[in-house]
Structures are given as C-alpha cells and as structure tokens.
Amino acid sequence: MADHPDVDVHALLAHTCPAGATDSITDVDGVEVGQTTVTDGREIHSGVTAVVPRQLDESRKSLPCNVFVGNGHGKLIGATQISELGDLETPIVLTSTLSAFRAADALVTWMLRRPGHEATISLNPVVGECNDGWLSDIRTRPVREEHVLAALDNATGSRPEEGAVGAGTGMRALGFKGGIGTASRAGGDHVVGVLVQTNFSGTLTIRGRAIEPPAAAEQSDHLEAQGNSCMIVVATDAPVDARQLGRMARRAVYAMGRLGADYRHGSGDYAIAFSSAEPTAAPPDPTLDALFTATIEATEAAILHSLLQARTTTGRAGRTAYGLTAADLAASPASAGPRSNPGRTRRGW
Amino acid sequence: MADHPDVDVHALLAHTCPAGATDSITDVDGVEVGQTTVTDGREIHSGVTAVVPRQLDESRKSLPCNVFVGNGHGKLIGATQISELGDLETPIVLTSTLSAFRAADALVTWMLRRPGHEATISLNPVVGECNDGWLSDIRTRPVREEHVLAALDNATGSRPEEGAVGAGTGMRALGFKGGIGTASRAGGDHVVGVLVQTNFSGTLTIRGRAIEPPAAAEQSDHLEAQGNSCMIVVATDAPVDARQLGRMARRAVYAMGRLGADYRHGSGDYAIAFSSAEPTAAPPDPTLDALFTATIEATEAAILHSLLQARTTTGRAGRTAYGLTAADLAASPASAGPRSNPGRTRRGW
Amino acid sequence: MADHPDVDVHALLAHTCPAGATDSITDVDGVEVGQTTVTDGREIHSGVTAVVPRQLDESRKSLPCNVFVGNGHGKLIGATQISELGDLETPIVLTSTLSAFRAADALVTWMLRRPGHEATISLNPVVGECNDGWLSDIRTRPVREEHVLAALDNATGSRPEEGAVGAGTGMRALGFKGGIGTASRAGGDHVVGVLVQTNFSGTLTIRGRAIEPPAAAEQSDHLEAQGNSCMIVVATDAPVDARQLGRMARRAVYAMGRLGADYRHGSGDYAIAFSSAEPTAAPPDPTLDALFTATIEATEAAILHSLLQARTTTGRAGRTAYGLTAADLAASPASAGPRSNPGRTRRGW
Amino acid sequence: MADHPDVDVHALLAHTCPAGATDSITDVDGVEVGQTTVTDGREIHSGVTAVVPRQLDESRKSLPCNVFVGNGHGKLIGATQISELGDLETPIVLTSTLSAFRAADALVTWMLRRPGHEATISLNPVVGECNDGWLSDIRTRPVREEHVLAALDNATGSRPEEGAVGAGTGMRALGFKGGIGTASRAGGDHVVGVLVQTNFSGTLTIRGRAIEPPAAAEQSDHLEAQGNSCMIVVATDAPVDARQLGRMARRAVYAMGRLGADYRHGSGDYAIAFSSAEPTAAPPDPTLDALFTATIEATEAAILHSLLQARTTTGRAGRTAYGLTAADLAASPASAGPRSNPGRTRRGW
C-alpha cells in the first residue's frame, strides 16, 4: 500500500479533522470493500469495486441513504428510488460505464441468494460507473457476473487497496492515472469514510501549484473529455437521516474542486451517502457542520490517495496514463508561478 | 385488437381533444413500437415493450427528453442523465423489475451495433419497469437479451397490440388485468402520443362509479401492493424543449388519478416525455395548455385501453387477474352509490 | 357554517377514512387558524388566512416540514429553506399574489415580537398566494401589515370559517366561487388536516358529472386563466420526517385532479406539509399509505368545502363568481352524458 | 475603484479565460447595476444592489433563467417560479435577510409603474439576501422602499462599485470584510458576467496559503456562523436555455470552494443565472464547457474582488470586519506551511 511512504496527505492538505484508524471507508463500523480487477494488461483495464455495509446482512433490509447529482452525465442505477425512499437496499457497486447494467444484474443475482431474500421480488441495486474507454476496450463489456460476485464475496473490513485496482483499473483523473481511493475523517464523535472512483478532468492543484504529468504533451488526445466522471461513496456511523445525508453528499461533490476539478459537461459527478447507524431521532442540522467538514476533507484525501497509489498504466492503443509520484508533489514551489494565459484585458488596478 | 368494439373510450371519458389517426403513440411521426411476450402460460408472464423513435436512426444522436418521478419507488434506468442533459439517446425499453438491468445491457448491445455507433463508448440506455411478480416467477428473470433485441428489431409504426402483451404480460392495475395501452390526442397543431405499462393500485372509477372485478374477494392476496407501478411514455411532435417536456410528464402522472389511482407508497410512477421535432426555439409556455390537456387525456385513454384489451390471465400459484369487460363498464349506474365506509363523524350540515 | 346542511361530502365523495372531530385542520393538535377579510364589497376582495402551529410558541423553534411544487407558477416564499432544512419556523400565511411580500414582511414583524425571539436575526417566513385579480383590484395591494398581524393574533383552535373569507375572499375555482376550505381525515392512529386556498381552473366533476355554473356563458372572460393557483396546507400529528412529509405533500396536489383540476400552465399548485409531533425515529415508509389516503381524501373534501361555503360574489368590473349550491350537486344524474366534443377519429372497436 | 492597483487577480488566480472589457457583469450587453447604501456609520450597515437587465424594459417580458440552490439555508424569493418556467420577469435585487420581503414588495412597486405593465396583475419578483446581522442592527429592517427604488432607478451600464457598498455594506466573508464583487470572463464567443454578495465562512486560501485577518483572534465571536451566505448572479449573452443556465449556476456555487468556502450548514449559497440573448435553438451541451470555465473563473474573481475592495468596517456592538489588503496577499509564501492540526492517525506511508 505504501507507494509513497513520505507523503503526509493530511499535512499536505492542511486538514483539520483527525483521520480514522485506517484512514479508510472501512473505519465506519460494518462497512466492507471487495474488488475484482479485470485486465489483460493490454487492451482491457477494467474491474469492480463493491462497498458492502455488513448491516444489510443482518436484520435490517435497508440503511438511510441519499444521492447528490453534481453533474448528471452518468448512469447511477438506483438513484430515483434512493431519492424517494431515502434508503439503500444493496451494496454499492462501482464499475465501467458500459458494464454497469450487467453489473446491476449480477448484484441482483447476489442479493437473491442472500439469507432472508428467499421471497424477495423487488430490489433496487445501486451501481455507479466511470468511463474507462480511454485505456480499455470498453465496448467489449469485459466485466461479467462472476467478477461482480467475486468482489461482493471477497469484501472485508480491511483497508482496501487503492489506485489502479477494481473499478479504478482504467481510470484517469486530473491528468494522471486515477483509480480507487479512500480516506476517513472524524466529525465530532462520529467518523465519515469516503471511497472514490476518480476519472475526472481538471488540473491537479496542490497548495496553489498546478501539477501536470511530464509527458502529457506527447499524447494528442490527452485531454479528451468524453465519459470522465467521479463516483463518491460516503459512509458514516452518525445517526443522520436521508435528508441530512443528502446534504453531506453535496459537500463531497463540492470537495472535488479543492484539488482542481473543472466540473466539465462530460463529467458524471455523483455522491452517494449512507449511514450505518440504527435509526433514531436525527441530530439537529446545526450539528452537521463537523460532519460536513469531515466529508469534505475525507473526499479530498481519498481523491489524492487514488492518484498517489495508481501506477503508470499503458492500455488501449498504446495510451499511457502517468502515475502521480511523490517527486511530482515535492517539486520546487519556486516553479509555481501563474500559468501564462494572460487575460485579454487586465483589471485596472 | 377489437375486444370491445362497442366501447367508445373517447366519449366515455368525455374527452375534448380529438384522437390521432390511430389513437396510438405511433401517431407521432417516426415513433415505432416493438414487443416480445415471454410466457410459458403458467409460471412465467413477462416480456418487453420498446418505444423506438426512428429519428435516432438517422442523423440525430439524441432527442429532447425529460422525466417526472411521481413516486420514485421504481428503477428507471437512465433518469439522472436525462434530467441533466435533457435528452434521450436510445429507445425506451419497458420490462419486468428484476429483468430491467439485463434489458438495459441488451439495449446497449443493440445500440453498439447500429450504424453510426462504431466508435461509441458511452450510452445512456433508458429502461423502465413494473413488477410482474404476482402473476410471474419474477426471480427467474426470464427476459433475456434475445427478447429485448427482438422487440427492438420488430418495432414498426403500426398501432401496437395492447393488453397482456410485451411488458404488459404480467401486469395488474386498478384491480383488473393491466398491461400495455396506448392512445393519442391532438394538442393544437401537434399530436401527443402515450404508451403506458399499467400495474398500479386503486379502484377503477369511471364516471364516478367504482368498478371492481367480480371475483376479487376470492383471492386473499388480491390487494397485495408490493411492486406495483406505472410507466408512462409520452411522445410529441411539438418542438418543446426538455424543461417543457418535464411539465408535460408531470401531467401524465397527474392523469392517473382520474381513473382511480391511489398513488400508494409502493407504486413507482414515472413519466418519460420526448419530442421528435427538430430543435428550434421553444414555444412560449402559455401555449402549452393544449399539449397539457392532450397529455392528460391521452394518458387516461391509454390506461383504460390497457385494461380493456387485457384478457383474464391465470399465472403463478394459480392467481388470476381478471380482464375488464365492456359489460363491467355498461353495468347499471343505479348501483353507483357511495361506498359504505361512513366517516366517524359526519360534517354537521 | 352550515350553508348546505344537506350535503354529506364524505358520502358524496365515497371517502373511506373517517373525518376528524371537526373535519378541519384544527383537528391536528395545536394547529390554529386566523383570518382577516379585506374587502370594500366592490373593487377589493382580498384577505389573509394564517395557519399557526401553537407548538412554535413554546419550546420548539421549528417543526418538520416539506413542500411539493406541483406547478411552480407561483411565489411560495420560504420554499428553498424548507426543502433544505426540512423545517418550518413560522406560521404559514396565505394571501393575494401581489400582497404576498408585504405579508411576509408583516409575518417577520410578528415573529420578532414573540417571546423567545428577542435576539433572532434570521427567519424564514412562509407565505403562499393565489391571484385574486379577477374579482379584486390586486394592483393596489390592499393587504397591509395590520391585516396580517390580526389574522395571526386572532388564530384559534376552532373550526375556521370557509369560503369567501380571509385569503379566500377573491378566489375562483373550477368555474365557481372558490375560497378557503378545510377538512380532516384519520390515517391509522393519526389525523391529517388540510386547509386549501382554491383558485384553480378545470371543470368541477362530481361522480363523473361535469357541473358548470349556470351563468358562466354570459361572462366573456370567465375562463381567463391568468394567475390561478391552489395552495394546500397539510398538517398531521404523525411523527413523520421531512422526506415523508414531502411524499404526503405530493398526494395533496395529486388529489386536485379528483374534482376536475386541469393543471394548467398558469396554475401555481403547491402543497406544504408539516408535523406537529415531537421528533422521534420516523415510521417505516410502508406504513405511510394510511396517511397518503387520508391526505388525498382530506384535500378533496377541503376543496369541495371551499366551493360549497363560498357565496356568490360580485367584484371588480362587475364580474361575478357563482357560489356552488346544494342544488347544483343534486341535479339529476340523467343529465350526465359525455360532453359533446367528439374525437376526430373514433377508436376502431 | 482602484484600492489595490498592484494586485493582478487574473494572474494571481491563474485564470485561463480573458476578462471582459471592464471585468464586470455589465460587460454583458444590456445588464446594468444600481446600488443604495444604507448606513449610519455605527449600528446600521446595510443596503441594496440591483442587477437590471435592460432587455426587460423593451419588448421582452422575460429572459431565460435558472437557479441552483447550493445550500438552501436562505430566502431566495422567486425561486420556484424560475425553476418551473425557466424565466426571469424582473430585475434581481440583493439585500439584507430580514429586509428581503419589503424589498420584494418595493420591486413590485417599481415594476407596476413600468411602461407596458399597466395591466399586470402577476409578477415574480426575485430577491436574494445575505445576513448582515453581525455588523448591522438587522432587526430594524432599515432597507425601505425608497432605497430599493433608488437602486433600481440609478442602475447604469458602468462598472459597479464593489466592496462595502449596496447590499455588500454589512457583509463578511472568509474571515474578512466582504461585500459586492463583480468580474467577467470570455467563454468562447460569449461573455459571462458575475456579481456576488459575499458573506460566507471558510478560510481565505490563495495559491494554497491560508490567509487570516491579523486581529481575528481578538474577537470572540469572530467565527459566529449564523446567517452567512453567498448570493451569485450570473449573466451571459450566450443563447443558452434555462436548463443550460441551471448547469452554469451550479458551477458558480462549485467555484466558491476555490477560495476556501467551507459550505457550512448556515450558509445560504445560491446562484441565479440568466441570458440576455434572444431565444433561439440552444447550443449543444458539449459546447458549454467554455461557458462553464468562464463561470467558474468569473465567480472566483468576483469573490476576490469583493474582498479586495471592501474597507475595514466597524459596526454594531463595536465589531470590526477587516478589509483584505494587497499586503495580506503579498505576504511571504515562506510562511505557508500546513496548519498545525495533525491527524489522530497519520497515513502509514
């Protein structure tokens, strides 16, 4: 896991909320993650990441949940029912765009086999996706039922692997190789865990410095925007209700801008937030500020983790996405002048 | 098609907008419908209905479109992208709840094979569903890729078959056998066509008279509500934009109440509206009233058509859904007294 | 109150939920109503109706609340904050469109003077409106601060007066004189109370029979649609949360169609729902069906009450809105044939 | 206007879109701004800023418009009708929270007097607000009708004054004195102009460096969050439709984070976007990216302008909000280490 042992993300990002025990979404009690990487090392770079709330295995059929659609250019399966009923009935599966529908079908397969679901005749599978078509032959829909079942079955409460793994295998973000990232932050007495699938455009910006991959200029289609997106899963053990989870989900999308997201037309930016807590009277909204800050910081950290852990990958048509290195981050701040696109007219003072 | 040659739905419902040439969604230029019925006559009563705008076959990649979620207890695949971008990229496929995801996958298969889609790496397939689990063994997910491809391939501009056919095969609505229904109404110089998949609860009410199936009392689980829903597809040749289509979609859901829908918790009530017209400056909103009335009347008629055309069907576990007959409608109005649930307290005057 | 002592609305509408003790929104514990009628008997027919939850007077600063915008052609002040925070901080004031803003200012005046608000520096006053410009000289904005303060101050838990009173003074609905109406229905162990300000278009339809005012044809601008609307206030003592109140609010708007609303472009149709219960864990959504039915029936009854209680009124420019009479309702059903707008094409069977 | 002649905001923020001719919302053809400052120099620091699209004066009754509610803890009057109809009927007035309702009433007064409005009986006045209760005695509601009329009447196409002026008089943002700011950026062949009323919390962050006012620690209630907000008005001459304006409005709220907004519970963050162009077929959505980037950069610049132009102000109860100076921005980057809130657990690598 330690590709960059010398990067202290918490300090680098000037975060104020303490990280959780493993700085991962699995710090939220009962939340597990499983992944399947689907790749041939050449034309196929795809996979599945599943966030599995163990609470759904037991006596509860659903958890409080909500969605925020930051930019709806994406295919989040299950969104309308979550918005209406405010609950999550299944694990959340992330995968590749064109494979999302068979992944949802596989999630139904998995659910129907679960104890307690012998008579179930309706389910709302939740599947998010980003487009790995730049690095992977997405039209072949390489993610099949067995890959989804494996990810669901191998979920554990350990800190998940990050970077070019599972649904992150074929991702690019902010000019670099993207992928799966996770982090957690304490918000008052509770913890907020985030897992992201990063595939969005923009210019990576750390402490005001724009960081671009060294060889970007060599690839003519480097900036191709089609299908880029960001899926954000937010989990908490705070007993917030669905409306409040919607407010948290908004902040997760807002946090993308802190590292340089440009929120382009083609980017399907979604956040799904759920609570693992037993239902009770919801806390007063003014107390949510601690959870909001934790959500923002955990999202920002998870995004940066996804980049730091993703190795340089060469895929379809010989295209290469470059992994972000500690050296990139450590480059002299002296080079951090404003970029050279002067405005047509300067402000007069 | 003529199960009930002596029922004049237009007069019965006191409609004011003229019906289109075939009183069908296919009256909208370029809109075609294809269906596949999937049944073994005993345990399986399912299928697929596809609404195929021919315009998508030609030079246009999308049509103006919007969605209204009347009650989001359903799984409308594609909803968030339609809301964001206001467009429809694929035909609209209707099917059975648990089969919706593989139907979406099949729709992707079909689209990727279309001329002009050789390089497509992102698509937003639109699939709606209702739950046929009362009459059909829904857990087997009997709708497979070949059924969806067949429905898409056999779409024609002829008036579609109604009732227990295609995605309507296993439906029940308002106490009777439900299914697919369609109708059209003129709204000013334009036509509004509607196709419905009816599976919703309530008491069928015609001209103030509640109509219940004769043998309903014999089935203990007759009123079981789980999974009932209504999917409504609205098409028009008016050059309305996506926002305006959203306003039309709302009226389609509002129209359900005219025949007795009770809008229960478990009913996923959705309308998808699209325009086949070439994009132009949208008409002023005050001119929409003619289209609103046409939408309401076409939806009401389509719902009643779905009932009138659906034959009595016996399915899973020997359950029977009774077809509405002309005789049911013709029963003496003298029997139409108020139902006998007197209020605890009467109004004092 | 007993203009029509011989009309049994509950039976006429075939309702299934028992009415509450007074068949009024004040059946919800702690909910009070106050009204001020502002009229000169000729050019001015306006006023204020205030729904005052007494719970806000005591230790609680807000109640769970939500809004449904059925057709947003209206000016519901306070809507966005209710949607975000899911709460109601002030009474709900209804009035005339162009006077809504000074009414909101007056509501702020009233709140700032309340005990416990000595240091308040932010408030979200909630004011709804319908347009009385057909019967009243709306441009003079005759509703002033003292009228609003009086309505708030004179609120009581008695059954409120209905018809052409308060904010209902200048209303028209479904072709007749409209106004304020109220009703309540039991939903399981709880009560749902509704108060409406009816000003919407359509054709009054009772038991399938269209009812039109006798002299309507004499007024050339009878059908003028500008500014018509319906404001619906839903109160309950069920401990539902804001999301669930939003679901109830939807059903209130859906209920308008049962009496013949045509949901036109120009009609601002809104429902605001709040709960007077102490916050607790919200009930499971499947249990809401009883509350949904109660909401639909209470809304339908309140609308009909508003018509039955409204006296014929002659106002601005000599225009007359006709009060609905018991005789109108009792007219022979034999006259209830379909209206004579035959479709261009009949259905072929 | 030139408080800080040596700060080049465009370069400092590394912007890529050229600024418009005056770097102001008035660069959008026909958009004018008028302001009234209401202050006694001690207890009252309030006022009005009006954005007046001159197009509404002429033959057009409305312009395409949409709203994004980033955090709905605010009172944006007019929001629901804008969302429904996608249009703007009046100028946009910004003011102080508790004065917003009388400002809306005054806006109605002004509109009813306009040529062409002699018979108008319905209007949707649009008024946004932020809370100036920290610096001003907000409970007195010092903004009266004459102040609003004056702001509307004195609107011109000149670059508006910024900082502690008009509706910005009592604002605080990011720890400093906030207020009115404006900027413009070119997006392709079109211009996007933004005007902000900044009153939101967070830590001003420029090029990764947190900047705090020198004397902040001396004021115990410096961080008091109640009522903070940000109102953003976005204007463009691009012929985008209402749905597309909604997408632009989202990006304006997303841009707040670039300078350190923390999106707290109490912050009512809204953007209203309108187009001054003649209606035509809307441009394809993929072409919007240039407008999105222009919106983000113009919003960021307008926020920073609002701080740079706002003078240190001492108001109610002797509280002082400190104006941001060029010296603050020029402080040595050497001091820009991460803040010292180390996480409970560090990431292991």
Side-chain angles (χ1 to χ4, degrees), chain C residues 126-220:
Chain C
V126 177
V127 179
E129 50 72 37
C130 293
N131 198 297
D132 52 23
W134 195 78
L135 281 175
S136 186
D137 186 0
I138 191 170
R139 291 171 56 95
T140 62
R141 285 174 280 172
V143 176
R144 291 190 303 275
E145 183 169 84
E146 65 260 32
H147 303 128
V148 179
L149 299 181
L152 290 162
D153 285 336
N154 71 26
T156 74
S158 303
R159 191 176 203 290
E161 199 177 353
E162 296 171 294
V165 61
T169 305
M171 301 291 104
R172 289 182 309 150
L174 296 170
F176 290 89
K177 181 73 186 77
I180 297 295
T182 187
S184 69
R185 291 290 181 271
D189 297 336
H190 297 284
V191 67
V192 176
V194 168
L195 183 141
V196 296
Q197 179 188 18
T198 59
N199 202 41
F200 57 97
S201 55
T203 302
L204 178 63
T205 306
I206 304 278
R207 306 198 64 73
R209 191 166 62 89
I211 303 175
E212 304 212 39
E218 300 170 14
Q219 299 190 214
S220 61

